[in-house]
Amino acid sequence: EAQVTQNPRYLITVTGKKLTVTCSQNMNHEYMSWYRQDPGLGLRQIYYSMNVEVTDKGDVPEGYKVSRKEKRNFPLILESPSPNQTSLYFCASSSMGQGKNIQYFGAGTRLSVL
Amino acid sequence: AQSVTQPDIHITVSEGASLELRCNYSYGATPYLFWYVQSPGQGLQLLLKYFSGDTLVQGIKGFEAEFKRSQSSFNLRKPSVHWSDAAEYFCAAVSGTYKYIFGTGTRLKVLA
């Protein structure tokens, strides 16, 4: 089954404790992306990647890191989480090229930073 | 700056009534356009997309959207709403830079 898998689904942590949210897709997609969703703000793109070892900043990259060492994986790293990073996070992937940019989303990771 | 605007934060309709959710975009060139639906506690599901061609796009669950270049709009419509359509709806756009921009969402409530 084609899917985007995020782990964990729920995470409670404390300020400053490094964490990683994993994202994996089994569709051989070139494009992967991370979003955060906050009430009243919709989804905002954090980082995206168009291929292995190629990453770019989205609209809200501050406080986040990503890596794309393998095509299927795109982990989101919070080196020193802060309470303002409490949010619902989504990973997505898609093919690239004209007419192929349909994103498939993971189920989401709800993060609370205390 | 590029943007996607959904002017209506909340919309309430009666079951069986028609629905229109508004979406306006601001881009230098016409982007690819999408509508997604998010049920409570769920991820996002694609309803429909516009890449080019026919300006009236059919999607899943009986939804359609019309692209109007002159108005920079991509409004979502459904002729008869069902109670199961209650959810949050997001319009999104992407251009050649591959940076996606989402609207802030419209929460739909359906009255029995």
Side-chain angles (χ1 to χ4, degrees):
Chain A
E1 178 189 357
Q3 58 186 359
V4 178
T5 304
Q6 294 178 229
N7 281 297
R9 292 289 314 279
Y10 302 91
L11 180 58
I12 301 174
T13 189
V14 295
T15 299
K17 187 176 181 181
K18 180 180 178 180
L19 67 90
T20 299
V21 184
T22 64
C23 175
S24 180
Q25 51 94 4
N26 63 0
M27 294 168 279
N28 201 36
H29 286 162
E30 302 90 349
Y31 185 92
M32 297 187 75
S33 181
W34 277 103
Y35 299 88
R36 60 178 290 173
Q37 183 179 11
D38 302 289
L41 298 177
L43 279 79
R44 293 178 293 168
Q45 193 169 36
I46 303 171
Y47 270 97
Y48 62 98
S49 169
M50 290 192 279
N51 213 330
V52 175
E53 303 292 1
V54 178
T55 62
D56 282 293
K57 295 178 180 179
D59 287 329
V60 288
E62 296 78 19
Y64 303 95
K65 285 177 58 178
V66 293
S67 68
R68 188 91 181 271
K69 293 185 172 61
E70 305 168 280
K71 196 172 186 180
R72 64 182 292 122
N73 296 323
F74 190 47
L76 179 70
I77 303 157
L78 284 72
E79 294 270 2
S80 183
S82 62
N84 64 13
Q85 294 178 298
T86 293
S87 187
L88 178 59
Y89 292 85
F90 287 101
C91 179
S93 73
S94 75
S95 294
M96 292 174 59
Q98 192 169 5
K100 297 181 181 180
N101 311 63
I102 299 172
Q103 288 193 103
Y104 294 83
F105 283 82
T109 295
R110 187 166 293 280
L111 172 65
S112 294
V113 183
L114 305 177
Chain B
Q2 298 169 335
S3 66
V4 174
T5 302
Q6 293 180 246
D8 304 305
I9 299 173
H10 294 98
I11 282 187
T12 300
V13 299
S14 297
E15 191 170 19
S18 63
L19 172 70
E20 182 168 29
L21 302 183
R22 296 183 289 166
C23 174
N24 293 96
Y25 64 89
S26 176
Y27 274 75
T30 301
Y32 292 165
L33 295 160
F34 308 85
W35 274 100
Y36 288 89
V37 60
Q38 184 181 34
S39 298
Q42 302 295 313
L44 280 83
Q45 182 181 20
L46 180 70
L47 286 175
L48 46 76
K49 61 192 181 297
Y50 174 78
F51 291 150
S52 65
D54 195 346
T55 57
L56 187 61
V57 179
Q58 302 297 320
I60 62 171
K61 303 186 179 188
F63 285 93
E64 66 178 26
E66 185 171 14
F67 168 70
K68 292 186 177 179
R69 186 189 305 275
S70 61
Q71 297 178 20
S72 297
S73 69
F74 188 56
N75 293 348
L76 182 71
R77 302 194 295 240
K78 187 169 185 179
S80 177
V81 170
H82 188 263
W83 64 266
S84 60
D85 293 324
E88 190 157 23
Y89 292 80
F90 293 96
C91 182
V94 65
S95 67
T97 62
Y98 283 94
K99 288 183 70 171
Y100 281 81
I101 297 178
F102 281 74
T104 52
T106 298
R107 188 170 297 278
L108 173 65
K109 182 177 179 179
V110 180
L111 301 176

